[in-house]
Amino acid sequence: MFNFLEKNLPKIVLAPTTIVMIVCMYGFIVWTGLLSLTKSRMMPQWEFVGLDQYVRLFNNPRWHVAVDNLFIFLILFILIALVLGLLLAIFLDQKIRNEGVIRTIYLYPMAISFIVTGTAWKWILNPGLGIEKLVNDLGFVGFEFRWLVESDMAIYTIVIAAVWQSSGFVMALFLAGLRGVDDNLTKAAKIDGASTIRLYWHIILPLMRPVFFSAIVILTHIAIKSFDLVQALTGGGPGYSSDLPANFMYTYSFNRAQIGVGAASAMIMLFGVLAVLIPYLYSELREKKT
Amino acid sequence: MNRHILTNINIGRVMIYLILLFFALIYLAPLYVMFTTSLKGIEEIRSGNLMALPVDPTFYAWAKAWSSACTGSECKGLAPYFWNSVRIVFPAVIISTIIGAFNGYSLAKWKFKGSELLFGALLFGCFIPFQVILLPMAKLLGSLGLANTVTGLVMVHVIYGVAFTTLFFRNYYVGIPTELVRAAKLDGAGFFAIFRHIFLPLSTPIFVVTIIWQFTQIWNDFLFGVVYSGSGTQPITVALNNLVNTSVGGKEYNVDMAAAIIAALPTLVVYVIAGKYFVRGLTAGAVKG
């Protein structure tokens, strides 16, 4: 008996986690998936109506705004954070004095919650008292900067705040990658007379491919989950012009008592994440094998 | 001589330093703005500008943010919610870290048929958008009588934190030579004895990384907080958001900023003290295994 116990201890230790994982992750995903096929509104109601909720979702202009916003946000956020993070990492990798201090400064926003970031930027971008007034006081009297209250520009304020928060992290990823590049390689290239720019463009950047990959996956993940930043910075407004899918899901599930639509939107978000994740994991596994 | 040295300093390097310095200032600016705004009176905020130093610094906003600002219909400041967060974070961090240590140890050094699959399935939990579990979890908490309770929030954070803590420990323990385990087994040591005498003494760095990661994640959480807490049990992020969106008797930006700094302070302090481990957690948590 004791022997059996001893032999199976690893399984026994892992059993609670396994059970909770099956129920609270996979079970709940199935539950949400099923719920999205019912006519539930305020309360779960197990009367199945096929894809009706999805049809309602995709006929909802607010959902389209949220999805469009996500694409704008994803593309700009990832692009700017990648370029900025990479450039800062390359510059920081030039045997800079006080590198540690500078790195600390670039990265501290990552320790702050999106709610705090949103609150801070809401004040900085405040039309009337924020940046607009600062520039006016500098003498540029006609300067206007009121993206926060313009429905076609509000989503870009989310990009600004998110880049501020996350680009330092991208910098750290690239810096770690650059530190892993073999010194002899760069020396050899320099002896061959390659210019610094050519060296980086033709030799070092291609070596950073895995870092690009994981940075993109992580940033995508942050972007799809960005719920709190929108909530704190714009509240999804003006109107619902800066909503992201996560905010849509929250509003419909918990404020509007339309949990069927909410569940459908959550499932679409899951599929979105999977569409990015599966090719990533696939290529990772393939790389490990070869 | 001097002139000679000067011309030798590469203009390119000067540019690099200037660019790095410029961005350092940009990253610091919001913190500077928050801090100076929190020390200004409301009149000064209206008449001055963002970057101006406070002429007549006052702690009025800090006192109000901490103990009397309105967060919705209640006007008790952030203090009660700060303590709510403390009461949520500590048990959740400790429990999820301990579970993660044992899980990671088992998955790394006691492989069995299906253990890799189990790890893969768990890893997936680091990536799912939590929206997909929000509704059923609300139902589960309700039927357990844990809706709107601190205990319920601790439970949710433990459940969805374990995927990360397991990942951290598993990847760390994989690097410890299996020969050590084999030798100890030959000496008759069992599962727990090997953990205690071989793995635990080597584990300080990974415990620090995991605890910092979990602390930051849970302290900064808003989604679970806003969905699963009630009026008395809200964590500080939710209270901060309510405070900013409550404007009884005019907007007080100085109070907003003081409140935001209060909400950010614990994780900032951890970052400043243990930045090295914080970065390690970020990259480890991010770059999978």
Side-chain angles (χ1 to χ4, degrees), chain B residues 1-267:
Chain B
M1 185 64 194
N2 253 338
R3 171 169 292 249
H4 184 70
I5 291 175
L6 261 180
T7 47
N8 261 352
I9 296 177
N10 193 322
I11 296 179
R13 280 194 74 76
V14 175
M15 283 299 292
I16 289 176
Y17 273 97
L18 285 179
I19 293 170
L20 288 174
L21 197 67
F22 172 75
F23 276 101
L25 291 178
I26 299 247
Y27 281 101
L28 281 175
L31 195 62
Y32 167 85
V33 169
M34 284 164 82
F35 194 65
T36 50
T37 305
S38 77
L39 295 176
K40 292 175 186 171
I42 200 70
E43 262 319 299
E44 206 184 323
I45 290 177
R46 290 195 193 288
S47 57
N49 72 47
L50 271 187
M51 301 305 281
L53 278 167
V55 183
D56 183 18
T58 157
F59 281 100
Y60 154 82
W62 283 75
K64 183 162 183 188
W66 180 250
S67 55
S68 66
C70 297
T71 51
S73 53
E74 301 252 11
C75 295
K76 296 191 224 148
L78 282 187
Y81 307 100
F82 187 93
W83 299 120
N84 280 346
S85 274
V86 171
R87 278 161 54 216
I88 294 165
V89 167
F90 276 85
V93 169
I94 293 169
I95 297 170
S96 61
T97 303
I98 293 174
I99 296 178
F102 281 109
N103 283 351
Y105 168 60
S106 305
L107 286 171
K109 290 297 163 202
W110 298 81
K111 291 195 175 132
F112 51 87
K113 201 164 170 246
S115 65
E116 289 293 301
L117 179 72
L118 176 61
F119 177 60
L122 198 58
L123 199 58
F124 184 64
C126 301
F127 284 103
I128 57 168
F130 288 133
Q131 278 71 23
V132 90
I133 52 90
L134 280 184
L135 288 163
M137 185 47 101
K139 183 107 173 93
L140 178 68
L141 287 174
S143 52
L144 291 175
L146 292 174
N148 305 338
T149 64
V150 165
T151 317
L153 270 173
V154 170
M155 192 182 100
V156 175
H157 282 299
V158 169
I159 290 176
Y160 297 105
V162 159
F164 286 96
T165 58
T166 303
L167 168 72
F168 285 168
F169 279 101
R170 186 259 183 198
N171 287 355
Y172 183 79
Y173 287 150
V174 158
I176 294 178
T178 309
E179 285 71 47
L180 282 179
V181 181
R182 256 186 234 131
K185 265 194 207 162
L186 285 179
D187 287 346
F191 181 83
F192 287 112
I194 295 176
F195 182 74
R196 234 195 87 192
H197 296 295
I198 299 179
F199 285 77
L200 205 52
L202 297 170
S203 301
T204 314
I206 195 62
F207 268 101
V208 177
V209 167
T210 309
I211 289 171
I212 290 178
W213 168 271
Q214 282 295 87
F215 178 83
T216 316
Q217 291 298 308
I218 301 173
W219 185 274
N220 287 345
D221 162 73
F222 178 73
L223 182 63
F224 290 151
V226 76
V227 176
Y228 300 133
S229 69
S231 54
T233 56
Q234 284 153 338
I236 193 159
T237 46
V238 178
L240 171 62
N241 194 44
N242 289 344
L243 183 150
V244 173
N245 290 320
T246 311
S247 46
V248 187
K251 211 82 217 72
E252 291 191 293
Y253 299 106
N254 48 357
V255 177
D256 290 358
M257 289 305 114
I261 299 176
I262 291 172
L265 216 48
T267 49

Side-chain angles (χ1 to χ4, degrees), chain A residues 6 14 17 24-26 32 94-95 97 104 106-108 111 113 122-123 126 133 164 167 218 221 284 288, chain B residues 13 17 20 27 31 37 47-48 103 121 124-125 127 132 160 190-191 220 245 253 267 271 279 286 288-289:
Chain A
E6 177 72 34
L14 285 166
T17 304
C24 295
M25 263 162 59
Y26 295 94
T32 304
Q94 308 301 319
K95 305 198 171 57
R97 233 176 291 164
T104 307
Y106 289 170
L107 210 71
Y108 86 88
S113 68
K122 188 177 182 162
W123 163 233
N126 183 306
K133 181 146 194 275
W164 175 77
S167 49
I218 297 157
H221 191 233
E284 281 286 306
K288 259 182 202 159
Chain B
R13 280 194 74 76
Y17 273 97
L20 288 174
Y27 281 101
L31 195 62
T37 305
S47 57
N103 283 351
F124 184 64
F127 284 103
V132 90
Y160 297 105
F191 181 83
N220 287 345
N245 290 320
Y253 299 106
T267 49
Y271 172 64
V279 178
K288 41 77 237 169

Side-chain angles (χ1 to χ4, degrees), chain A residues 76-107:
Chain A
L76 287 177
F77 168 60
I78 292 178
L79 214 65
I80 301 173
L82 275 183
V83 171
L84 198 59
L86 178 64
L87 282 180
L88 292 178
I90 290 176
F91 287 147
L92 255 190
D93 197 31
Q94 308 301 319
K95 305 198 171 57
I96 295 300
R97 233 176 291 164
N98 295 327
E99 185 206 307
V101 179
I102 300 178
R103 223 175 38 206
T104 307
I105 293 173
Y106 289 170
L107 210 71

